[in-house]
Amino acid sequence: MKKAHLLTIGDEILIGQIVNTNATWMSQKLNEIGLWVSEIKSIGDIDSEIKKAINQSLQDADFVFVTGGLGPTKDDITKKSLAEYFGVEMVWHQPTWERLEEYFLKLGRQLSDGHKAQCFMPSNATILTNKLGTAPGMWFSSNGKILVSMPGVPYEMQYLMEAEVLPKIAELVLDGQTVIHRSICTVGEGETVIADKISKIEDDLRSNLKIAYLPGMGNVRIRVTGTGKDEELLNFDVNKAGDEISEILGDIVYANEDISFEKALQNLFIEKNLTLGLAESCSGGYISHKLSIEPGASKFFMGSIISYDNIIKQNVLGVKSETLNQFGAVSSECVKEMVIGALKVLNVDIAISVSGIAGPDGGTEEKPVGTIWIAVGDKNRILTHKLTFGRDRLRNIQFSGMFALNMARRFVLKLI
Amino acid sequence: MKKAHLLTIGDEILIGQIVNTNATWMSQKLNEIGLWVSEIKSIGDIDSEIKKAINQSLQDADFVFVTGGLGPTKDDITKKSLAEYFGVEMVWHQPTWERLEEYFLKLGRQLSDGHKAQCFMPSNATILTNKLGTAPGMWFSSNGKILVSMPGVPYEMQYLMEAEVLPKIAELVLDGQTVIHRSICTVGEGETVIADKISKIEDDLRSNLKIAYLPGMGNVRIRVTGTGKDEELLNFDVNKAGDEISEILGDIVYANEDISFEKALQNLFIEKNLTLGLAESCSGGYISHKLSIEPGASKFFMGSIISYDNIIKQNVLGVKSETLNQFGAVSSECVKEMVIGALKVLNVDIAISVSGIAGPDGGTEEKPVGTIWIAVGDKNRILTHKLTFGRDRLRNIQFSGMFALNMARRFVLKLI
């Protein structure tokens, strides 16, 4: 398997100002086309370190992807270091100048000297047009190795990778072969349990097929990848393995394609022509937020009552004061009445409610921190469930939210 | 300034399965005690690569922090590679064995052979007791350099760093000196504008003082750091610079200590004895979620009506159908009526409302994607504001949420 190194240049990562999400995104994309990322490195804007790192990576890897240090300010030195490393001159690149002129004309802004400097390029670079920013990407070929330099701004890097870099890299890596992926997305079981269930399929796979586990919050995505020359055969093999995995895993599979759980839930509700509403207490809007960041959410998600205070549980949702007095807000009885209230007030087919002690404080002996009640129901039946988590507030909110949404999925599918 | 390298061992980061948040956390902590992280590297569980990376880092840096590869499974080889690199034997560490026995007895589980292997340690290592997991940390001293090896599980690494590693490292780095920090947290202005405003203070700083800018979503944290032997003088200098910065920046400063914006807002509302409620449409619960992840939120945040659907705007918040017909849901008139409704239904002192077109689709010529109206008010006055963002749904949600919360802060402080 051919090897790639990722090299990030700039201080932001080194001082802990930003998380290196670029590396995560690039690793995923390169992995998908069959390239193994064997090293990820972050260094500062220091000429000697840049040259040393480039030299090491061009020795150890087949492909080197450099991000950062291409901006118009004086601490951005990547391009100059690259030219010096390759022993070439910087030459004026007229098309970049024309692109910048046009771009700044539109914005009604003046080009600075820094921007002029952005039009000088190492003479051995193939220029990659960056339609989303000022700094172009650069493609270098040296002794059979490839080095690509791109801006560190995530959406600019992603644009260049998808439009210019990945197709070319895929061609070089695959060398006439094809890569086919098939995703099976699951919710509610851990990676170990899943791996155990499908170990026989994994053991029996042809050598050109492999399985990857990509765990997220409460969900695990399983990806079958096949590489080979015969596309038809490959398609058959990958899908056969995918179908077998999906069948063995049964109802924990929420999608047989690579989509988020919230999108799959949206599809399910739209398909069944059902609307959803929420009554959130301790989850405080988290579930509503998760549902609404998916485009298209308004087709099934009508709204929520965030009844953080008990008065709102009573006044808006109609939870009885006797229920609160006798059982407390964190109880099966309360979440049941919250569902009844949400169904009515929000005028929806299905409602979810959550009430608990998210922590880190506020628990009692009977109801310790991490005790969370969930209910899901429609006008005919309401189911409740008690979760017992730890003291981590954010984790309690996130995991109970995922659990509640999966409970709604299972309710609609009549699995519960 | 002494240099540190961070080295992460394991495939999870290389395949893009997880983001390297450990590196971010460690960089921040090391930076705070005056240590410069000059390189962050991730490699796989491959013996030769581990040894090569350790060797390079022990040459280039004064301190090397290694995480990962200490688990009980057979792909975890970091400890063996370290022992071989240092040319030492593995020796049985009885206290670790006793700790594991006790730990597993409590859980009612059996110790595996893998766990027995976790009790063998390189003979030159000082063992760091890991109270939160099975794998101990290790401290190596070699030719005047320090190498620390820790598990990759974030909370185990963080525990070991805070309880065992950072205090010792600080002592070595500071060598009798003290480091003092002072944070000034701002909201509503960019890093460049802020840097410009305080450039004179920055230029005039004593050489043992420096300023760092830590930008977040819609906010910028400014940190003044001083290093020196005379703690009293240092305290005076750091706080003098901090006070000057805070004064120049004026009302964009939301806190003179290192706390989140949401926590500062919580403090402000509690101090003024005011309650807050929300009426969210396009932000879909994001603002409620941000407020409620801060412990203590229930002291001022009463709840929200997430009126994703217009029917809920009408039925629950009492927005008039004529208003929706004449001006639409994305209008000054609508968000104003949403505030009036929220004040009443949620029975709060202050209410915020948000309604807009989050995107990526759904805009019109008159109201393009990214048009978002915000209102803040109490029973006496209601202010509205129109934002115009781009097509990125999540960014629109997040930035409008931050803007709305800052508008509430400014409203309460009578700055608007």
Side-chain angles (χ1 to χ4, degrees):
Chain A
M1 205 167 175
K2 295 210 170 177
K3 288 201 290 185
H5 278 197
L6 310 185
L7 180 62
T8 310
I9 296 170
D11 291 351
E12 300 91 339
I13 291 172
L14 299 176
I15 62 170
Q17 188 177 302
I18 58 166
V19 184
N20 195 354
T21 51
N22 274 353
T24 309
W25 188 90
M26 292 168 84
S27 298
Q28 285 172 3
K29 293 291 171 185
L30 295 171
N31 223 257
E32 279 174 17
I33 57 169
L35 195 54
W36 169 243
V37 176
S38 63
E39 184 178 296
I40 300 170
K41 194 192 278 185
S42 296
I43 56 171
D45 298 291
I46 297 162
D47 179 58
S48 60
E49 296 204 6
I50 295 174
K51 286 172 183 157
K52 188 174 159 192
I54 289 170
N55 193 44
Q56 279 176 359
S57 287
L58 282 174
Q59 274 173 34
D60 295 345
D62 306 289
F63 297 89
V64 183
F65 299 89
V66 183
T67 51
L70 299 181
T73 56
K74 59 178 181 255
D75 58 340
D76 291 311
I77 58 168
T78 301
K79 204 164 53 174
K80 191 162 159 287
S81 301
L82 280 166
E84 285 175 16
Y85 174 79
F86 288 121
V88 301
E89 295 294 304
M90 297 287 269
V91 295
W92 179 256
H93 191 248
Q94 184 65 19
T96 295
W97 175 249
E98 285 164 13
R99 190 172 56 78
L100 289 189
E101 271 196 323
E102 194 185 345
Y103 182 72
F104 276 73
L105 194 69
K106 263 190 205 159
L107 294 177
R109 280 172 53 195
Q110 292 290 317
L111 281 159
S112 71
D113 285 347
H115 293 119
K116 266 177 207 157
Q118 286 193 301
C119 302
F120 282 95
M121 297 288 166
S123 64
N124 64 334
T126 304
I127 306 306
L128 309 172
T129 308
N130 176 4
K131 291 194 175 161
L132 301 184
T134 55
M138 293 170 280
W139 175 288
F140 300 90
S141 187
S142 167
N143 300 321
K145 305 291 181 82
I146 302 293
L147 184 145
V148 182
S149 164
M150 292 167 286
V153 182
Y155 63 84
E156 295 185 26
M157 177 281 288
Q158 290 177 16
Y159 166 77
L160 279 170
M161 282 291 280
E162 290 190 324
E164 302 277 350
V165 181
L166 285 169
K168 289 194 189 80
I169 300 282
E171 216 171 285
L172 291 169
V173 171
L174 293 170
D175 193 24
Q177 297 195 94
T178 305
V179 175
I180 289 177
H181 300 285
R182 160 80 184 271
S183 291
I184 301 103
C185 298
T186 70
V187 60
E189 278 292 3
E191 187 183 345
T192 321
V193 173
I194 290 171
D196 208 44
K197 281 188 180 172
I198 63 175
S199 66
K200 180 139 183 8
I201 299 177
E202 199 164 1
D203 291 344
D204 294 347
L205 281 184
R206 282 172 195 270
S207 65
N208 63 331
L209 264 62
K210 64 191 179 87
I211 291 178
Y213 299 88
L214 306 160
M217 170 93 60
N219 59 64
V220 178
R221 193 153 55 92
I222 299 139
R223 191 174 66 207
V224 184
T225 302
T227 317
K229 290 206 185 281
D230 185 339
E231 195 172 336
E232 203 176 329
L233 178 66
L234 206 57
N235 235 319
F236 179 83
D237 283 348
V238 166
N239 280 312
K240 184 164 165 280
D243 290 344
E244 283 173 14
I245 290 169
S246 191
E247 202 187 314
I248 287 185
L249 296 179
D251 62 31
I252 66 167
V253 175
Y254 72 73
N256 279 296
E257 57 180 325
D258 187 10
I259 57 173
S260 73
F261 174 65
E262 290 78 15
K263 188 71 195 176
L265 197 71
Q266 185 183 117
N267 292 345
L268 175 67
F269 270 76
I270 292 172
E271 182 199 312
K272 301 266 181 192
N273 200 22
L274 293 169
T275 55
L276 178 68
L278 309 177
E280 296 192 61
S281 183
C282 71
S283 56
Y286 174 74
I287 308 178
S288 308
H289 171 55
K290 288 296 279 182
L291 291 175
S292 57
I293 51 178
E294 282 295 339
S298 58
K299 285 180 208 143
F300 84 106
F301 171 54
M302 297 297 109
S304 307
I305 307 297
I306 315 289
S307 56
Y308 220 59
D309 195 79
N310 280 349
I311 300 287
I312 297 169
K313 291 187 185 74
Q314 290 180 250
N315 290 357
V316 185
L317 292 169
V319 174
K320 298 190 202 88
S321 60
E322 304 89 76
T323 307
L324 293 170
N325 290 336
Q326 196 178 342
F327 305 104
V330 182
S331 66
S332 175
E333 290 76 9
C334 179
V335 288
K336 205 177 260 187
E337 291 185 18
M338 285 168 74
V339 160
I340 294 169
L343 286 170
K344 193 175 152 197
V345 174
L346 302 173
N347 191 29
V348 289
D349 300 315
I350 310 267
I352 304 174
S353 68
V354 182
S355 183
I357 302 148
D361 308 311
T364 61
E365 199 159 319
E366 198 198 343
K367 292 175 186 173
V369 168
T371 307
I372 295 169
W373 276 96
I374 292 174
V376 171
D378 59 17
K379 63 176 193 258
N380 298 315
R381 62 188 188 121
I382 299 171
L383 303 177
T384 66
H385 188 90
K386 182 183 164 185
L387 295 168
T388 313
F389 290 132
R391 304 185 69 83
D392 187 321
R393 184 176 179 89
L394 186 58
R395 278 178 67 94
N396 290 346
I397 291 172
Q398 291 173 330
F399 276 98
S400 61
M402 270 306 293
F403 190 95
L405 289 177
N406 192 32
M407 200 164 147
R409 169 185 159 264
R410 295 175 66 84
F411 184 90
V412 168
L413 290 172
K414 299 193 167 46
L415 296 170
I416 50 174
Chain B
M1 205 168 177
K2 295 212 170 177
K3 288 202 290 185
H5 279 196
L6 310 185
L7 179 62
T8 309
I9 296 170
D11 292 351
E12 300 91 339
I13 290 172
L14 299 176
I15 63 170
Q17 189 177 302
I18 57 167
V19 183
N20 195 355
T21 51
N22 274 353
T24 310
W25 188 90
M26 292 168 84
S27 297
Q28 285 172 4
K29 292 291 171 185
L30 295 171
N31 223 258
E32 278 174 19
I33 57 168
L35 195 54
W36 169 243
V37 176
S38 63
E39 184 178 295
I40 299 171
K41 193 192 277 184
S42 296
I43 56 170
D45 299 290
I46 297 162
D47 179 58
S48 60
E49 297 204 5
I50 295 173
K51 285 173 184 157
K52 189 175 159 191
I54 289 170
N55 193 44
Q56 279 175 359
S57 287
L58 281 175
Q59 274 172 35
D60 296 345
D62 306 290
F63 297 88
V64 183
F65 300 89
V66 184
T67 51
L70 298 181
T73 57
K74 59 178 180 254
D75 58 340
D76 291 311
I77 58 168
T78 300
K79 203 165 52 175
K80 192 163 158 285
S81 300
L82 280 165
E84 286 175 15
Y85 174 78
F86 288 120
V88 300
E89 294 293 303
M90 297 287 267
V91 295
W92 179 256
H93 191 249
Q94 184 65 18
T96 295
W97 175 249
E98 285 165 12
R99 189 173 56 77
L100 289 188
E101 271 196 324
E102 195 186 343
Y103 182 71
F104 277 73
L105 194 69
K106 264 192 204 155
L107 294 176
R109 280 170 54 194
Q110 292 290 317
L111 281 158
S112 70
D113 285 348
H115 293 120
K116 265 177 208 159
Q118 286 194 300
C119 303
F120 282 95
M121 297 288 167
S123 63
N124 63 334
T126 304
I127 306 306
L128 310 173
T129 307
N130 175 4
K131 291 193 176 163
L132 301 183
T134 56
M138 292 171 281
W139 174 289
F140 300 90
S141 188
S142 166
N143 299 321
K145 306 290 182 82
I146 302 293
L147 184 146
V148 181
S149 163
M150 291 168 286
V153 182
Y155 63 84
E156 295 184 25
M157 178 281 288
Q158 290 178 15
Y159 166 76
L160 279 169
M161 282 290 280
E162 291 190 323
E164 302 277 349
V165 181
L166 284 168
K168 288 194 189 79
I169 300 283
E171 216 170 285
L172 291 169
V173 171
L174 294 170
D175 192 26
Q177 297 194 96
T178 305
V179 175
I180 289 177
H181 301 284
R182 160 81 184 269
S183 290
I184 301 103
C185 298
T186 71
V187 61
E189 278 292 4
E191 188 183 343
T192 321
V193 173
I194 291 171
D196 208 44
K197 283 189 180 171
I198 63 175
S199 66
K200 176 128 185 21
I201 299 177
E202 198 165 2
D203 291 344
D204 294 348
L205 280 185
R206 282 173 194 268
S207 66
N208 63 330
L209 263 63
K210 62 190 179 88
I211 290 178
Y213 298 88
L214 306 159
M217 168 94 59
N219 59 64
V220 178
R221 193 154 54 94
I222 299 139
R223 192 175 64 207
V224 184
T225 302
T227 316
K229 289 207 186 280
D230 185 339
E231 196 173 335
E232 204 176 329
L233 178 66
L234 205 59
N235 236 320
F236 179 83
D237 284 348
V238 167
N239 280 313
K240 184 166 165 279
D243 290 344
E244 282 173 15
I245 290 170
S246 191
E247 203 187 314
I248 287 186
L249 295 179
D251 62 30
I252 66 166
V253 175
Y254 72 73
N256 279 296
E257 57 180 325
D258 186 12
I259 57 173
S260 73
F261 174 66
E262 291 78 16
K263 188 70 195 176
L265 197 71
Q266 187 184 116
N267 292 345
L268 175 67
F269 270 77
I270 291 171
E271 181 200 312
K272 302 266 181 194
N273 200 22
L274 292 169
T275 56
L276 178 69
L278 309 178
E280 297 193 59
S281 184
C282 72
S283 54
Y286 173 74
I287 308 178
S288 309
H289 171 55
K290 288 296 279 182
L291 291 175
S292 58
I293 51 178
E294 282 295 340
S298 59
K299 285 180 208 142
F300 83 107
F301 171 55
M302 298 296 110
S304 307
I305 308 295
I306 315 290
S307 56
Y308 220 59
D309 195 79
N310 280 349
I311 299 287
I312 297 169
K313 291 188 186 75
Q314 291 181 249
N315 290 356
V316 184
L317 291 169
V319 174
K320 296 191 202 88
S321 60
E322 303 90 74
T323 307
L324 292 171
N325 290 336
Q326 196 179 340
F327 305 103
V330 181
S331 65
S332 176
E333 290 77 9
C334 179
V335 288
K336 205 176 261 188
E337 290 185 18
M338 285 168 74
V339 160
I340 294 170
L343 287 170
K344 193 174 151 198
V345 174
L346 302 172
N347 191 30
V348 289
D349 300 315
I350 310 268
I352 304 173
S353 69
V354 182
S355 184
I357 302 148
D361 308 310
T364 62
E365 199 159 318
E366 198 197 343
K367 293 175 185 173
V369 169
T371 307
I372 296 169
W373 276 96
I374 293 173
V376 172
D378 59 16
K379 63 176 193 258
N380 298 315
R381 61 186 188 124
I382 298 171
L383 304 176
T384 67
H385 188 90
K386 183 183 165 183
L387 294 167
T388 313
F389 290 132
R391 303 185 70 83
D392 187 321
R393 184 178 179 87
L394 186 58
R395 278 178 68 92
N396 289 346
I397 291 172
Q398 292 173 329
F399 277 97
S400 60
M402 269 308 291
F403 190 94
L405 289 176
N406 191 31
M407 201 164 146
R409 168 185 161 265
R410 296 174 67 82
F411 185 91
V412 168
L413 290 172
K414 300 193 167 42
L415 296 169
I416 49 174

